[in-house]
Amino acid sequence: MAASMAKLCRPVFALRGLVLFRPLGGHRSKRYWTGFAAGGLFGGWAARTWWEERAKYLAQEEEEEARTEVHSELHLTLYQYKTCPFCSKVRAFLDYHNLPYNLVEVNPVMRKEISFSTYRKVPIVLTHGTVNLQLNDSAFISSVLKSYIISSEKDMEKIASYYPEVESTDARGKALMTRSNKYHVMRAEGPVLPDDVIKTEVEWRKWVDDHLVHLIAPNVYRTPKEALASFDYIVREGKFGRWEGLVAKYVGAAAMYLISKRLKKRHHMRDDVRQDLYSAVNKWIVAVGKKRPFLGGEHPNLADLEVFGVLRVMEGLQAFGDVLTHTKLGLWYEHMHAAIEAGDGAQWNGFERT
């Protein structure tokens, strides 16, 4: 408060400069005129500084108001497991774009928190407002929300309709429902991005889901020791009861160690699964290149956010430390951490600064 009052009173202080530099007595000597001139200069400098700081303050206020206005109608709830790579992708998107959301950690055993949903996986995002929608699938969630952010017509239901459900099959031939166009952002307004830029973002987003995410489990559960350390982290960060946590830590670690071996074969990984992880990370860093901080250029695109989200779930584990040691991931990863923590995407709509 004192600092604010001081700023407001600076014009008064500027005028007082005429008096502060005036010598005692009424004789108008050279000293008098020197003091008068010095006071004028001081007053002018103080006034100019005050106006400059006031302009900066008003600009900051306008920026904050713009951020609030853009997302004021968007109220979200994210249901997640903190250590789930798909959930981490969505959190990276929400935090980077500075979107307000409530976070609900789901108990992975009972899953009572998502009892309202027939879709029993996470992440799930609920939108609240004029239209209440349930968004499933991490890529679909990010694409819909990004399309909403850059659209002047804030109709979430209409935007979601651009991604119709289609029946598909997974790698094992199992039927599943997915979203058509889920890796595309609907850019009906504003400058159109070059086709190669859009194509690159879409291809790398698919690569994250089709390849990168499948490397995580075989690497974090690679050995019994690593599996136990991973489940210690999962139990610590997740929502478990006391006995659930103990069972999950030891029984889950043993089970996932065995499952990781099956996953390694299913995804045709080498005996040393670390080499596949290093190769994937190096491929990504080559794509980003040396002349730009992100694949998206000066600002992260959706592929940047999704690669970061997947890799982030390994932080604090041996696998992540090995990746930092044997690849050149570190600089890009630091840039991503900084951009997400600062919520830089709140000022960036994918075309130009808002």
Side-chain angles (χ1 to χ4, degrees):
M1 176 65 75
S4 300
M5 289 300 297
K7 288 182 179 180
L8 291 173
C9 293
R10 275 186 179 167
V12 178
F13 295 156
L15 294 174
R16 285 184 59 197
L18 298 176
V19 178
L20 290 173
F21 283 84
R22 179 179 177 178
L24 295 175
H27 182 61
R28 298 187 179 183
S29 62
K30 290 182 178 180
R31 287 169 55 195
Y32 171 84
W33 291 111
T34 301
F36 187 86
L41 290 172
F42 172 78
W45 170 82
R48 179 182 176 182
T49 303
W50 181 82
W51 282 108
E52 288 177 348
E53 290 188 5
R54 182 174 183 274
K56 289 180 182 178
Y57 173 75
L58 291 175
Q60 289 175 352
E61 271 197 336
E62 289 177 1
E63 183 177 311
E64 290 299 323
E65 287 176 2
R67 290 190 187 191
T68 304
E69 183 179 349
V70 169
H71 310 312
S72 60
E73 298 179 2
L74 196 60
H75 305 286
L76 307 172
T77 299
L78 168 62
Y79 295 82
Q80 67 151 17
Y81 307 142
K82 185 176 180 180
T83 55
C84 162
F86 297 104
C87 300
S88 182
K89 284 168 55 179
V90 175
R91 280 203 322 277
F93 176 89
L94 297 175
D95 292 339
Y96 174 68
H97 291 91
N98 202 28
L99 296 174
Y101 64 98
N102 297 319
L103 189 61
V104 178
E105 189 70 20
V106 176
N107 180 296
V109 179
M110 303 304 295
R111 291 183 288 181
K112 290 182 179 179
E113 295 80 4
I114 55 173
S115 59
F116 61 85
S117 173
T118 56
Y119 181 82
R120 303 302 290 165
K121 299 179 182 180
V122 290
I124 292 174
V125 166
L126 297 185
T127 70
H128 314 284
T130 53
V131 175
N132 299 323
L133 291 179
Q134 177 177 327
L135 308 177
N136 311 322
D137 186 299
S138 59
F140 170 62
I141 292 168
S142 294
S143 293
V144 168
L145 293 179
K146 184 67 175 183
S147 300
Y148 175 90
I149 290 171
I150 66 176
S151 174
S152 61
E153 183 181 355
K154 302 304 182 186
D155 188 338
M156 184 70 76
E157 192 170 27
K158 184 177 181 180
I159 291 171
S161 71
Y162 298 148
Y163 302 86
E165 279 193 315
V166 294
E167 188 171 340
S168 181
T169 57
D170 62 16
R172 292 171 290 175
K174 183 180 178 181
L176 53 84
M177 297 300 293
T178 186
R179 291 281 181 170
S180 178
N181 307 319
K182 70 178 183 178
Y183 295 107
H184 290 265
V185 175
M186 300 304 166
R187 295 179 170 92
E189 303 167 9
V192 178
L193 295 177
D195 289 343
D196 61 325
V197 173
I198 296 174
K199 182 180 178 181
T200 297
E201 180 183 64
V202 169
E203 286 179 348
W204 282 103
R205 293 184 70 193
K206 289 180 178 178
W207 175 83
V208 171
D209 286 351
D210 294 341
H211 182 65
L212 182 63
V213 75
H214 298 303
L215 302 178
I216 303 303
N219 273 277
V220 300
Y221 305 120
R222 184 180 61 156
T223 66
K225 182 180 178 180
E226 288 182 79
L228 192 59
S230 296
F231 260 87
D232 182 62
Y233 169 67
I234 290 171
V235 170
R236 187 172 64 251
E237 297 294 332
K239 185 177 182 180
F240 291 87
R242 181 180 178 184
W243 295 109
E244 286 176 344
L246 287 173
V247 172
K249 181 176 178 179
Y250 294 101
V251 177
M256 285 308 300
Y257 168 71
L258 296 175
I259 291 172
S260 70
K261 304 306 176 186
R262 296 212 311 262
L263 292 174
K264 181 175 74 173
K265 291 181 180 179
R266 180 185 301 169
H267 298 291
H268 310 291
M269 298 174 67
R270 284 169 273 191
D271 288 338
D272 182 2
V273 293
R274 280 288 196 276
Q275 298 305 316
D276 292 276
L277 184 57
Y278 298 157
S279 295
V281 170
N282 285 328
K283 183 178 181 180
W284 168 253
I285 295 303
V286 169
V288 172
K290 297 179 180 179
K291 296 183 179 180
R292 56 186 179 183
F294 310 106
L295 184 72
E298 292 300 314
H299 310 278
N301 64 12
L302 294 183
D304 284 293
L305 293 170
E306 293 180 356
V307 171
F308 176 86
V310 169
L311 295 178
R312 177 172 57 180
V313 299
M314 297 191 296
E315 278 189 18
L317 301 176
Q318 183 181 334
F320 190 72
D322 289 346
V323 168
L324 291 181
T325 300
H326 293 91
T327 72
K328 296 182 179 179
L329 178 71
L331 185 59
W332 171 85
Y333 198 82
E334 289 176 8
H335 287 157
M336 287 299 302
H337 244 307
I340 289 171
E341 287 182 4
D344 285 349
Q347 304 174 62
W348 178 248
N349 64 14
F351 300 123
E352 58 187 357
R353 284 285 176 184
T354 55

